[in-house]
Amino acid sequence: ESGERKAKVEKMFGFMDAFLKNDSFSLQKDILDHVEYTVARSRFIFDDFEAYQGLSYSVRDRLIERWHDTHRYFKKKDPKRLYFLSLEFLMGRSLSNSVINLGIRDQYADALNQLGFEFEVVAEQEGDAALGNGGLARLCACQMDSLATLDYPAWGYGLRYQYGLFRQIILDGFQLEEPDYWLNFGNPWEIERVHVSYPVKFYGTVEEEGIQGQTIKVWIPGETVEAVAYDNPIPGYGTRNAINLRLWAAKPSDQYDMESYNTGDYINAIMDRQKAETISNVLYPDDRSYQVALQINDTHPSLAIAEVMRVLVDEEHLDWSRAWDITSRVFSFTTHTVHVEALEKIPVDLLGNLLPRHLQIIYEINYKFMEELKSMIGQDYDRLSRMSIVEEGAVKSIRMANLSIVCCQIVNGVSKVHLDLLKERVFKDFYELWPQKFQYKTNGVTQRRWVVVSNPNLSSLISKWLGTESWIRNVDLLAGLRQHVSDPDLQREWKMVKKVNKARLAEYIETLSGIKVSLDAMFDVQIKRIHEYKRQLLNILGIIHRYDCIKNMETSDRRKVVPRVCIIGGKAAPGYDIAKKIIKLCHVVAEKINNDADIGDLLKLVFIPDYNVSVAELVIPGSDLSQHLSTAGHEASGTGSMKFLMNGCLLLATADGAIVEIMEEVGADNMFLFGAKVNEVPALREKGASLKAPLQFLRVVRMVRDGYFGFKDYFKSLCDTLEDGKDFYLLGYDFASYLEAQAAADRTFVDPEKWIHMSILSTAGSGKFSSDKTIEEYAKHTWGIEPCKCPF
Ligand code: GL9
């Protein structure tokens, strides 16, 4: 038999051409073959989109090849593996990133050229995979890139939502939401694994059974849904390794409701089956801090704790303490918020109905934890009830964060300040109990996506001046730019790159909005989810103030004004009323300013609709200044700032989240900082109404309130949030120092040499904020995994 098998293997090898070839002829042939046989268009006539499809399938073949080799190698070496669970992965586009990581971008560009297509144009055909809300989800995508590049044996696990995050449509300045049918035109980057599927059970009852003198719990589920795997290969850069992001889709189970089929209720049975698929239909468009019930965020996969316990105890029949020992060793938990009210809670009624056995297990974990806690701290009932996994009250709920902390040996924050806040506020009780559990890993972003893919000109420039491309894998080398910072040649070339990127962005703005912007103006950008704590409103009020000042200036003084193009972009959660009003305010203010001929190029305001990863890739390289305005103590990290920093954009920011560490790396004098500090904020809030806002602030708020921009009634509730004593996010208090920071940015901008100097130092100081660094820290200090590099 083994002889037969051997013959078969030999025969198979005979069919193979070793690895796929990457010369121009082979690539062209591959693309054409896919156009003809996979896409089923004629190789003689196909358009840009079909070229994109043919190209992508050809890239995918190369990904699969590496993916197979990597997994065969992992299997052989059998290292400790990491399984990275997240409900959100915001991957964006795959084409450019893949060919760059595979090291064959230029070859593909050349092959396409020979076929009469342009790589950039073809790449624009791809839609975004927007399976996430914002920073938390994009962080996971960056970390997957780093895990692959650094050769870690890792798997990502998430959900394959039928619809991505909603599309933002702006109609008359109002945000409307439309479904994102991202799968409608197919997705060449995934591989459906119909055979990799697992039953996922819901509802039903838990019964007790006696087996060999022992009673065990048996869950009799009421419904079963099938989870089917879709694999997305993630290639590393400069390595053969390609790891897997496995996303699950819900499908009706074959065994589903057999009863109804037999009783003849065929049509209803079919309708019921469709319900199963809705589980992975929509990504919940959520944002923290105003949710009350079930919320999707960083603690959400924490139900996995109860599931692993269930499998070990109920299915593998381990005793509880052994099962708990294993579970608490394998899980680690990263929290991404500073907002106590945003910590996820699941109502007991809901959980008991949906997953009755899991609820029992959580109760058991809590019972044991409470006993242990009593033995340590005694009968301090206030503290016991604060730390309990079960929250009593009107709606009895499970505190998922408490469950995660109790279970995991390490709880990570995402920045230094964030850890401090976890210790002092969010998880104070737990920190006092288990100080050794609490750590932080500074978030990071991948320089592959955020410089090499999105800013190729800057990327080449950096490589040229460093004399190597190694910084793409070894980001510490970026610091080497410091030694050339005063070189006039570098400064000139640096400026040129920025200009080209600004021109590209200006073109985009004109296509979008018809607004022509001057390339000599400062491009000032704030792009991120719209949230009160992120204070886009502060930005808009600052713009109104600027407009008002210019209007009241003598003509001679106007010559000194630094022209600005203010760019704002971001989505508001569909149910977040105030955030939606901020978007509308931005539009009415823009309408007024942009149509005021008297202002001309001195000030423009542009709202970029439907902000997503690929929009960010275009906007960031083209911006001069970026704003990060969160009220200190509210942004756990903030990773947008890191992308701007790497691209040499100067930051105007509060000392919050990651900014505090950025200050340490690039120096406070290379940034424009303002606002109350983290430790001042609580005392300022205490002061309430006695904290008087400055006159300039009152004036601009009054303009909005009095209907200077129209929609007076509509903006009333927004203005009310800024009244003395109600201004929770301290816009009034921070306004004066915000304007000072803005003035400092203006003064620096008119000194181009100084500006470029600061810009180069920003990129040079951005090395610490690569996700490669974050992943190395996690690998060493949290996961305990080692690289496992597949030989070429
Ligand atoms: C967030 C934090 O708010 C950010 O400050 C942080 O940078 C990221 C990544 O750690 O996580 N937590 C969170 O829920 N979101 C974050 O961006 N929100 C969204 O993703 C919408």
Side-chain angles (χ1 to χ4, degrees):
E1 222 196 279
S2 83
E4 209 179 286
R5 178 153 169 75
K6 223 170 160 188
K8 199 173 164 189
V9 169
E10 250 161 48
K11 186 174 168 191
M12 291 302 184
F13 269 116
F15 285 128
M16 279 182 73
D17 277 350
F19 296 124
L20 290 167
K21 295 196 183 75
N22 295 328
D23 59 280
S24 179
F25 178 80
S26 308
L27 293 180
Q28 287 178 61
K29 181 169 185 319
D30 268 14
I31 296 169
L32 291 178
D33 281 352
H34 276 298
V35 168
E36 181 98 18
Y37 305 119
T38 312
V39 185
R41 296 297 293 178
S42 160
R43 62 175 73 218
F44 299 104
I45 350 161
F46 56 98
D47 62 16
D48 284 336
F49 181 67
E50 288 145 4
Y52 157 71
Q53 290 178 297
L55 172 61
S56 301
Y57 283 112
S58 137
V59 175
R60 169 177 130 141
D61 290 346
R62 284 154 180 81
L63 290 172
I64 290 175
E65 206 174 61
R66 292 177 184 226
W67 188 93
H68 276 146
D69 292 351
T70 308
H71 285 90
R72 216 174 20 220
Y73 192 69
F74 286 174
K75 203 160 181 189
K76 187 169 129 201
K77 292 279 159 177
D78 198 26
K80 180 173 180 184
R81 291 161 175 81
L82 166 73
Y83 298 103
F84 192 110
L85 312 188
S86 174
L87 272 286
E88 299 184 10
F89 286 89
L90 195 43
M91 304 304 287
R93 290 174 173 163
S94 288
L95 175 61
S96 295
N97 189 72
S98 300
V99 293
I100 283 176
N101 279 13
L102 294 173
I104 45 180
R105 188 205 170 273
D106 293 348
Q107 290 90 320
Y108 264 118
D110 177 56
L112 272 181
N113 239 305
Q114 308 262 344
L115 296 173
F117 291 88
E118 215 180 304
F119 186 87
E120 282 80 8
V121 176
V122 170
E124 279 299 312
Q125 301 295 312
E126 184 176 0
D128 274 39
L131 307 185
N133 276 287
L136 172 148
R138 181 55 225 178
L139 181 76
C140 297
C142 286
Q143 294 185 337
M144 287 301 290
D145 181 79
S146 293
L147 282 164
T149 299
L150 301 174
D151 303 309
Y152 286 111
W155 286 64
Y157 280 107
L159 292 183
R160 178 181 179 271
Y161 300 100
Q162 191 73 27
Y163 306 104
L165 184 64
F166 66 89
R167 287 235 159 92
Q168 180 190 54
I169 308 286
I170 303 289
L171 196 69
D172 295 332
F174 292 102
Q175 169 179 301
L176 298 180
E177 300 90 26
E178 274 189 2
D180 170 24
Y181 299 103
W182 74 294
L183 292 168
N184 271 12
F185 292 96
N187 176 12
W189 306 106
E190 67 183 10
I191 303 144
E192 183 182 9
R193 305 280 187 202
V194 275
H195 296 293
V196 184
S197 80
Y198 293 89
V200 179
K201 293 162 182 155
F202 295 102
Y203 304 106
T205 51
V206 180
E207 280 157 29
E208 295 199 344
E209 253 176 41
I211 293 183
Q212 295 161 349
Q214 276 193 329
T215 24
I216 59 155
K217 301 264 178 17
V218 182
W219 176 25
I220 322 269
E223 264 182 37
T224 302
V225 172
E226 211 62 38
V228 179
Y230 285 76
D231 288 344
N232 300 257
I234 310 289
Y237 177 92
T239 168
R240 196 166 176 76
N241 282 34
I243 57 173
N244 194 14
L245 170 59
R246 176 163 279 181
L247 302 178
W248 298 98
K251 296 275 155 81
S253 159
D254 274 353
Q255 287 117 42
Y256 194 82
D257 215 4
M258 287 299 286
E259 184 78 6
S260 330
Y261 283 95
N262 297 338
T263 54
D265 196 1
Y266 175 71
I267 299 293
N268 275 325
I270 293 284
M271 305 277 262
D272 263 12
R273 283 172 61 89
Q274 293 196 346
K275 274 200 321 204
E277 294 186 40
T278 61
I279 290 181
S280 60
N281 263 11
V282 262
L283 165 73
Y284 199 72
D286 162 57
D287 220 313
R288 315 182 150 263
S289 92
Y290 63 96
Q291 278 299 124
V292 278
L294 190 73
Q295 191 174 258
I296 290 173
N297 61 40
D298 48 351
T299 45
H300 199 256
S302 57
L303 265 180
I305 294 170
E307 171 66 0
V308 169
M309 284 300 286
R310 188 189 67 80
V311 170
L312 294 179
V313 172
D314 295 0
E315 291 180 9
E316 302 297 326
H317 304 299
L318 263 58
D319 66 42
W320 182 277
S321 63
R322 177 91 184 92
W324 180 246
D325 184 55
I326 294 172
T327 306
S328 60
R329 275 166 205 271
V330 295
F331 276 101
S332 61
F333 164 52
T334 297
T335 168
H336 298 264
T337 191
V338 290
H339 299 128
V340 180
E341 68 283 3
L343 298 176
E344 186 187 16
K345 293 174 196 165
I346 304 183
V348 162
D349 285 348
L350 178 78
L351 194 57
N353 184 29
L354 199 63
L355 297 169
R357 180 61 184 136
H358 295 77
L359 180 63
Q360 274 186 354
I361 288 170
I362 292 171
Y363 272 143
E364 183 75 23
I365 294 173
N366 194 44
Y367 175 77
K368 295 199 150 67
F369 168 56
M370 285 286 116
E371 288 303 302
E372 185 194 337
L373 192 58
K374 267 185 232 159
S375 74
M376 287 187 279
I377 66 167
Q379 314 285 314
D380 179 348
Y381 286 109
D382 277 349
R383 186 157 178 219
L384 286 166
S385 90
R386 284 198 306 267
M387 295 177 77
S388 170
I389 295 170
V390 182
E391 182 177 83
E392 304 290 341
V395 183
K396 191 169 172 179
S397 315
I398 302 300
R399 295 168 170 149
M400 301 312 279
N402 293 25
L403 173 65
S404 307
I405 299 172
V406 169
C407 175
C408 298
Q409 315 225 328
I410 295 171
V411 177
N412 276 297
V414 291
S415 72
K416 196 187 269 179
V417 192
H418 185 213
L419 177 65
D420 291 340
L421 292 168
L422 294 178
K423 292 174 176 176
E424 290 159 20
R425 298 183 203 167
V426 191
F427 299 131
K428 187 167 187 286
D429 290 310
F430 284 103
Y431 174 68
E432 281 162 11
L433 184 67
W434 294 313
Q436 76 288 355
K437 273 198 189 192
F438 290 82
Q439 303 183 1
Y440 76 95
K441 311 276 177 283
T442 303
N443 278 169
V445 300
T446 165
Q447 68 271 28
R448 267 86 54 191
R449 164 86 48 162
W450 295 107
V451 183
V452 186
V453 173
S454 65
N455 198 345
N457 294 329
L458 185 67
S459 179
S460 314
L461 186 64
I462 294 172
S463 299
K464 177 184 150 189
W465 282 84
L466 294 180
T468 171
E469 287 188 344
S470 301
W471 62 276
I472 302 173
R473 267 181 77 93
N474 178 6
V475 75
D476 286 332
L477 297 176
L478 281 180
L481 287 171
R482 287 195 183 114
Q483 73 187 85
H484 307 293
V485 65
S486 303
D487 191 314
D489 287 336
L490 173 61
Q491 295 200 349
R492 193 170 30 80
E493 291 167 23
W494 197 267
K495 201 171 160 185
M496 203 50 218
V497 165
K498 180 60 75 186
K499 191 134 196 189
V500 171
N501 291 334
K502 283 174 78 170
R504 192 169 61 140
L505 175 54
E507 216 177 278
Y508 180 72
I509 291 175
E510 191 174 347
T511 322
L512 263 183
S513 61
I515 300 170
K516 269 194 166 34
V517 298
S518 154
L519 296 190
D520 297 325
M522 182 200 300
F523 283 20
D524 156 354
V525 177
Q526 188 182 22
I527 40 174
K528 49 184 84 218
R529 284 299 288 263
I530 310 288
H531 210 294
E532 285 163 285
Y533 85 78
K534 294 181 189 279
R535 298 199 295 190
Q536 283 90 355
L537 186 52
L538 181 63
N539 187 358
I540 300 170
L541 294 174
I543 293 167
I544 298 176
H545 174 77
R546 182 174 286 265
Y547 175 66
D548 190 39
C549 288
I550 301 174
K551 289 299 278 182
N552 294 322
M553 256 178 211
E554 299 290 325
T555 328
S556 58
D557 285 336
R558 285 197 186 180
R559 262 179 245 125
K560 290 183 213 136
V561 172
V562 179
R564 285 242 192 175
V565 177
C566 302
I567 297 164
I568 298 180
K571 294 180 182 179
Y576 193 173
D577 188 48
I578 292 286
K580 288 184 147 179
K581 293 195 175 192
I582 293 172
I583 291 177
K584 175 64 181 170
L585 180 64
C586 181
H587 281 89
V588 294
V589 172
E591 178 91 15
K592 182 110 196 166
I593 296 176
N594 299 342
N595 293 316
D596 189 340
D598 179 39
I599 293 295
D601 274 346
L602 290 186
L603 186 60
K604 289 277 178 256
L605 172 55
V606 181
F607 185 90
I608 297 196
D610 203 35
Y611 176 59
N612 61 16
V613 176
S614 48
V615 170
E617 287 176 44
L618 175 78
V619 174
I620 294 170
S623 53
D624 294 304
L625 183 77
S626 79
Q627 303 201 36
H628 308 277
L629 312 180
S630 57
T631 313
H634 283 268
E635 193 70 272
S637 162
T639 48
S641 54
M642 303 168 180
K643 298 162 196 165
F644 284 100
L645 190 74
M646 274 183 183
N647 281 278
C649 310
L650 304 196
L651 308 187
L652 191 151
T654 48
D656 196 21
I659 299 290
V660 175
E661 287 154 82
I662 293 178
M663 281 158 62
E664 287 167 13
E665 295 299 301
V666 306
D669 48 353
N670 287 313
M671 308 163 69
F672 307 104
L673 297 160
F674 78 99
K677 303 281 187 297
V678 175
N679 54 4
E680 295 165 2
V681 167
L684 288 168
R685 285 198 176 127
E686 293 275 296
K687 290 196 181 150
S690 66
L691 208 66
K692 290 275 175 260
L695 286 175
Q696 306 130 306
F697 184 76
L698 299 176
R699 180 175 162 83
V700 292
V701 175
R702 175 112 334 253
M703 285 167 78
V704 178
R705 209 185 250 299
D706 288 351
Y708 187 81
F709 302 98
F711 296 86
K712 195 172 154 187
D713 295 340
Y714 180 76
F715 291 129
K716 181 178 180 304
S717 60
L718 182 61
C719 295
D720 287 346
T721 66
L722 302 173
E723 287 298 292
D724 284 344
K726 291 197 197 131
D727 181 9
F728 184 75
Y729 293 105
L730 303 175
L731 281 76
Y733 180 82
D734 277 349
F735 198 62
S737 81
Y738 175 63
L739 295 182
E740 268 166 42
Q742 285 285 13
D746 282 336
R747 282 195 301 275
T748 313
F749 197 71
V750 292
D751 181 353
E753 202 176 310
K754 171 104 206 296
W755 188 280
I756 298 287
H757 201 268
M758 288 166 74
S759 168
I760 297 171
L761 291 181
S762 297
T763 304
S766 67
K768 179 173 174 187
F769 307 99
S770 165
S771 45
D772 293 352
K773 297 269 165 197
T774 321
I775 287 299
E776 266 165 358
E777 287 286 306
Y778 271 107
K780 257 191 223 118
H781 301 294
T782 299
W783 302 324
I785 53 170
E786 305 269 341
C788 181
K789 190 177 171 82
C790 176
F792 257 98

